[in-house]
Structure formats: C-alpha cells, structure tokens
C-alpha cells in the first residue's frame, strides 16, 4: 500500500436516536477531510450537529462506480474519507459495497466501525431462540417474485430477517403466511430507537389482522423476523427406526445401536426407550 494513502472509514450512524452515535464514530466524522454520504442533503445537518466540518461527496446507488473512483482519488491524496448512509450501517441494504471493494482492491486500508444496524437491533429484542439467522434484507416488490424468493428460504431452519417498507408490510405478511405457514412466530419491530418504537411477537397467521386493527401499526420503518422452519425431530425419527428394527426381531441392544448410528441420537437413550416398550 502506498505510504501516503489515507484510510477509508465505514461509519454506522443512528437509526433514529441521535444519542446512538458512538464516541469513535463522532471522532472519526470530525477528523476526516471527506464524508461520502448516500444523501448529502440528509447528512449535512447531522454532521453540523456532530461539529464535523468534513466536506461532503455523494455516494448513492446511482453513482457508486464514479463515487468509488472519487473516494480512491481523495485517499490517494492523503485525505481520509468516512463512508456513511442515511441511517445504520453502510453496505447493509445500503450503498457502500462497491466503494469498499474498489478501495480494498487498490490495497488501501478500510476501517469499519461497529454501530447501529436495524437487523441486529431487532434480533437482540426478538426473543427468538433460533441458533442461526439469515439476513435477507428487502424482498422483491412484485408479488410473484416475492413469493418465489420466500419459497427459496421456506425450509431453512434459521430465523429469517427482512426489511420492509410500510406500504408493503401487509402484502408481504400475506405472502409469508402462504409460503412459510401460519404457525411460525413473526416479530414485528417498528420504529426502533424512535418515539413510537414497538416490538410485537405473534403467530404469522394472526399478523394481518393485528396490523389492520390499528393504522398506526403499519406506519414507520419495519424489521420483520420469522422464526426458522421447524426441524423434524431427530428423536422422533430414531424412535420410528427403532420400532421397525424391533419389529424385525432384532435384539434390543443391536436395534438401539443401529438406530443410533443412523440418526445420531444417543444409543443409551434409545436402548432405555426400547426396554420401556418391552415392559
Ligand atoms: N443500513 C441500514 C441498517 O444498517 O439497518 C438499513 C438501510 S435500509 C435502506 C432501510 C430499512 O432498514 C428500512 O426500510 C427498515 O426496514 C430498516 N430500518 C431502518 N431503520 C429502522 C428503524 N428505526 N426501525 C425499524 N427498521 C428500520
């Protein structure tokens, strides 16, 4: 990396509550020469609020390629740049990836700061116990494509995290019921960190009625999280296999050993179960 290159900082900004800016993010935004912002008009008052005198350049989805060149040119001149989006973490359902890729491909240092992200904020209060989650972001706006996209993830045993616009929430929830089933838990996280923040969990099948019951419930910004597809219980499968083997007159010990080897369920547990049935 050439000596004189300055680094690119990737800086998350608050989702709504300005107090959520980190000390480090504030310091970086005050120190850099340039801020590359998704919407310069939106970010100008925020930088003033922070006491930053950085110069603004536009970096949105329609000019990202040109913006990437511009950012690299500033870094080459030894002027540090901070990349921000309108809210949350750049590059997460927001522009930024192309700029970061271009800067890293040139061997120039990219320094990411941790900070606000609607998906992580919603997950932290979801109460869902799924061990894994899949960040989907925005579903397609067209119903046919949306249903197809949902079908592709319908059998995953992971919580699914979606971003959704208020005017599409009802439609999307309808498609989720049709493709993922009515039984799974839906967490509706709305207006996080803002005055009318609300986090509500309910079965997917009850969500449309709940949303329609009060027009306020369809207003603002949404994260929708659906619990993962239920996994057919391994124990259940192991016991079915065990029963079949016993019906073939295999000795209990051998049947338990085989059922355990096939399913991965503990041999001793299956042996005890078989003895119970025998009694
Ligand atoms: N980069 C952002 C992040 O790190 O979360 C996301 C940007 S994306 C263009 C905007 C979407 O994020 C909104 O449509 C909504 O789904 C979600 N979102 C942003 N702020 C939110 C908030 N305060 N409460 C709930 N969802 C929010």
């Amino acid at each position: 990396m050439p000596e004189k290159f300055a680094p690119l900082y990737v800086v998350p900004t608050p989702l709504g509550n300005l107090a959520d800016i980190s000390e480090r993010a504030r310091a970086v935004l005050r120190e850099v020469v340039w801020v590359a912002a998704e919407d310069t008009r939106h970010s100008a008052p925020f930088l003033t609020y922070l006491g930053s005198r950085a110069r603004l350049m536009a970096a949105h989805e329609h000019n990202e390629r040109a913006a990437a060149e511009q950012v690299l040119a500033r870094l080459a001149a030894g002027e540090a740049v901070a990349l921000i989006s309108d809210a949350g973490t750049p590059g997460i359902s927001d522009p930024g990836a192309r700029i970061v890729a271009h800067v890293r491909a040139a061997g120039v240092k990219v320094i990411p700061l941790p900070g606000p992200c609607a998906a992580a904020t919603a997950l932290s209060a979801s109460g869902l116990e799924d061990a894994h989650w899949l960040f989907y972001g925005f579903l397609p706006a067209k119903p046919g494509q949306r249903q197809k996209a949902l079908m592709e993830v319908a059998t995953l045993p992971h919580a699914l995290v979606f971003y959704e616009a208020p005017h599409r929430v009802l439609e999307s929830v309808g498609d989720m019921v049709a493709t993922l089933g009515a039984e799974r838990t839906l967490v509706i996280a709305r207006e996080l960190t803002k005055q009318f923040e609300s986090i509500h969990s309910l079965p997917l099948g009850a969500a449309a009625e709940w949303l329609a019951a009060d027009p306020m419930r369809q207003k603002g910004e949404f994260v929708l999280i659906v619990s993962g597809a239920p996994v057919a219980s391994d124990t259940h499968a192991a016991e079915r296999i065990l029963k079949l083997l016993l019906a073939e007159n295999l000795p209990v010990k051998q049947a338990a050993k085989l059922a355990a080897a096939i399913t991965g369920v503990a041999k001793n547990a299956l042996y005890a179960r078989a003895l119970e049935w025998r009694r």
Side-chain angles (χ1 to χ4, degrees):
M1 183 177 100
E3 277 287 303
K4 63 174 185 166
F5 272 90
L8 169 69
Y9 295 92
V10 183
V11 183
T13 54
L15 298 171
N17 187 330
L18 291 182
D20 290 334
I21 189 81
S22 75
E23 261 180 53
R24 188 174 169 214
R26 184 191 292 264
V28 165
L29 290 172
R30 287 168 66 123
E31 275 162 25
V32 291
V33 182
W34 291 93
V35 170
E38 184 182 6
D39 179 345
T40 52
R41 274 182 309 178
H42 172 91
S43 295
F46 177 61
L47 293 180
T48 305
Y49 159 80
L50 294 179
S52 164
R53 296 159 69 104
R55 296 171 67 184
L56 277 157
M57 67 168 92
H60 46 75
E61 61 174 325
H62 304 296
N63 81 339
E64 215 180 328
R65 196 181 297 266
E69 297 290 349
Q70 227 187 323
V71 166
L72 191 59
R74 297 329 320 160
L75 301 176
E79 299 170 2
V81 180
L83 175 66
I84 63 173
S85 61
D86 287 354
T89 304
I92 310 288
S93 293
D94 259 343
R98 194 172 268 177
I99 293 172
V100 164
H102 190 62
V103 169
R104 289 199 22 231
V108 178
K109 195 161 180 141
V110 173
I111 303 177
L113 273 61
C117 172
T121 307
L123 269 166
S124 72
S126 71
L128 293 176
E129 293 186 30
D130 300 58
H132 307 282
W133 52 277
L134 177 114
F135 174 66
Y136 196 94
F138 289 102
L139 284 160
K142 291 189 180 152
Q145 289 175 11
R146 184 166 55 225
Q147 284 153 21
K148 189 164 169 276
L150 284 165
M151 286 305 291
E152 282 167 6
V153 293
T155 55
L156 293 177
H158 315 315
L160 304 170
V161 183
F162 302 100
Y163 284 167
E164 194 47 282
H167 60 281
R168 275 199 284 270
V169 156
L170 257 185
E171 269 179 55
S172 284
V173 162
D175 286 340
M176 286 175 190
V177 175
T179 51
L180 309 179
E183 309 299 320
R184 289 157 77 163
T185 299
L186 172 69
V187 181
I188 303 173
R190 191 172 69 84
E191 292 290 89
L192 293 167
T193 78
K194 302 186 196 175
Q195 188 181 359
F196 296 107
E197 175 179 89
S198 97
I199 300 162
H200 189 71
S201 304
L202 74 179
L204 246 182
E209 199 181 328
W210 185 84
L211 284 164
D214 177 352
M216 278 304 289
R217 293 178 184 168
Q218 288 174 58
K219 292 212 160 39
E221 299 199 89
F222 286 85
V223 181
L224 303 175
I225 310 181
V226 183
S227 60
V231 190
S233 149
D234 288 345
T235 310
H236 188 67
E239 289 185 358
R240 275 185 41 226
I241 291 169
L242 184 61
K243 266 189 190 149
L244 288 172
L245 294 173
L246 291 172
E248 293 296 318
N249 289 324
L250 251 71
V252 170
K253 209 169 178 181
Q254 198 183 351
K257 191 174 163 191
L258 279 173
I262 294 166
T263 61
V265 171
K267 186 176 69 187
N268 290 351
L270 292 173
Y271 183 68
R273 197 90 176 104
L275 289 182
E276 248 174 58
W277 292 336
R278 280 281 152 93
R279 278 201 295 272

